[in-house]
Amino acid sequence: MKGKPLLSGRSTILAAFGVLIVAAALAKATAPIPLWLSCWFSSSAELWGAILLAEFAVGLSLICHSHQVSVWGVATAFALAMTGIAATLSWQGFTSCECYGPIDVKPVVTAGFDGGMLALLLWQRPRVWDDLRRGLIWGIGFLSCSLVALGVLLVAARVVERRSDTVVLTRVIRMGRVPAGQRIPFTITIENKTDKPFRVLGKRVPYAFFPNLPLLVPPHSTRELHGFFVSARVRARYCVPGSLLVAHGNRLSNRTLRITGKIVGMSEGDSSVSRRPIVTKGE
């Protein structure tokens, strides 16, 4: 009489997926905050830490409880979310995931792997309807709780940042759809919450210009820094990182910001220029 295997096919897949997730989280711990995350969210540091903790938690759950149907649902929802993020990065033109430290992985490769894992998990889905329903409920619950937790984290981080930071400025400038080859005006709101004035001395923002620098911001007041963005003659999505140099008392500090949007307006038949997205590296 043959004994039962210690792990079923689905349990083996879940355990192996858990090991890969933990390894990916360890690699992320050695990597700086990705450019795409800074472009999507202003509170990227807090969010990056939350992603690491979530990946560790999911990976360990898959390793320790791979035989449970609920874990299959969580793993399927996690693979679906990762596939969607990687596919979005590839669609927006990011050339690297920037998630694994020195290992350079293209988003299309990550999307292919996560999509393959998602297909494998769906193939190994529970065959009994009650088990499948329970797994789907756990998966939907995992995604819903993750989205709620993400929203709460971002709101809390923004509140804490505004209360603790004495120099508050717009971190992400979302230009939206802009015409190609044009000067697009935008405004950065800068607030001084201290008893002393400070000056915005200069900028390190590619493709952006600020004619009224340096700018003096008096104590307990708000000023607007007007600038314009020079869009390329390319139909593309872009994310331009940069910083403003602020002199506050005897201290100098760089305040990071991002300019994001999509350049439109080129005729579809014009093939004389590159259509690759403008994605610049941080300085």
Side-chain angles (χ1 to χ4, degrees):
M1 183 176 179
K2 295 183 179 180
K4 292 184 177 180
L6 295 178
L7 290 176
S8 65
R10 183 171 66 247
S11 298
T12 302
I13 293 172
L14 288 173
F17 192 27
V19 172
L20 292 175
I21 292 174
V22 171
L26 289 173
K28 285 183 173 65
T30 66
I33 299 174
L35 172 64
W36 58 267
L37 191 65
S38 300
C39 287
W40 287 4
F41 303 100
S42 58
S43 303
S44 55
E46 296 83 357
L47 185 57
W48 188 238
I51 290 175
L52 293 181
L53 292 177
E55 285 201 350
F56 274 118
V58 172
L60 292 176
S61 298
L62 267 61
I63 294 172
C64 299
H65 304 285
S66 59
H67 60 284
Q68 296 185 6
V69 174
S70 57
V71 172
W72 171 85
V74 172
T76 303
F78 182 83
L80 176 64
M82 293 299 102
T83 302
I85 292 174
T88 302
L89 291 177
S90 180
W91 173 63
Q92 290 190 344
F94 286 90
T95 57
S96 176
C97 177
E98 302 178 9
C99 299
Y100 307 110
I103 304 175
D104 188 15
V105 181
K106 294 182 178 181
V108 65
V109 175
T110 305
F113 174 81
D114 292 332
M117 183 59 66
L118 175 62
L120 190 60
L121 289 170
L122 292 176
W123 177 56
Q124 287 290 335
R125 67 189 182 278
R127 303 301 174 182
V128 179
W129 167 243
D130 288 341
D131 291 341
L132 178 60
R133 181 178 59 184
R134 188 163 68 252
L136 292 176
I137 290 175
W138 272 90
I140 295 172
F142 171 75
L143 284 180
S144 301
C145 292
S146 298
L147 290 175
V148 172
L150 173 62
V152 171
L153 175 65
L154 293 176
V155 171
R158 181 164 297 182
V159 171
V160 171
E161 179 185 26
R162 284 192 169 273
R163 288 183 177 179
S164 60
D165 197 356
T166 56
V167 177
V168 180
L169 56 83
T170 308
R171 295 295 184 90
V172 180
I173 304 164
R174 305 188 187 279
M175 304 288 290
R177 297 166 63 90
V178 300
Q182 300 293 322
R183 290 163 45 127
I184 314 299
F186 64 90
T187 301
I188 298 177
T189 302
I190 305 175
E191 180 183 0
N192 184 358
K193 300 169 66 175
T194 70
D195 297 326
K196 296 181 179 180
F198 67 80
R199 291 181 180 272
V200 181
L201 298 179
K203 64 90 180 179
R204 298 180 65 184
V205 188
Y207 314 112
F209 301 89
F210 301 93
N212 56 335
L213 283 180
L215 175 69
L216 175 67
V217 184
H220 301 289
S221 63
T222 301
R223 292 291 184 269
E224 291 185 342
L225 177 61
H226 299 283
F228 60 89
F229 175 76
V230 180
S231 60
R233 298 182 181 277
V234 182
R235 295 187 63 171
R237 296 182 180 273
Y238 61 88
C239 176
V240 179
S243 61
L244 296 177
L245 179 62
V246 175
H248 194 195
N250 296 325
R251 294 180 301 173
L252 293 176
S253 61
N254 285 303
R255 302 290 169 150
T256 60
L257 56 88
R258 300 288 187 271
I259 302 177
T260 67
K262 181 179 181 181
I263 300 175
V264 297
M266 181 186 299
S267 62
E268 294 290 343
D270 188 356
S271 59
S272 60
V273 297
S274 170
R275 293 178 182 268
R276 295 186 61 185
I278 302 172
V279 181
T280 61
K281 295 290 184 180
E283 298 180 1

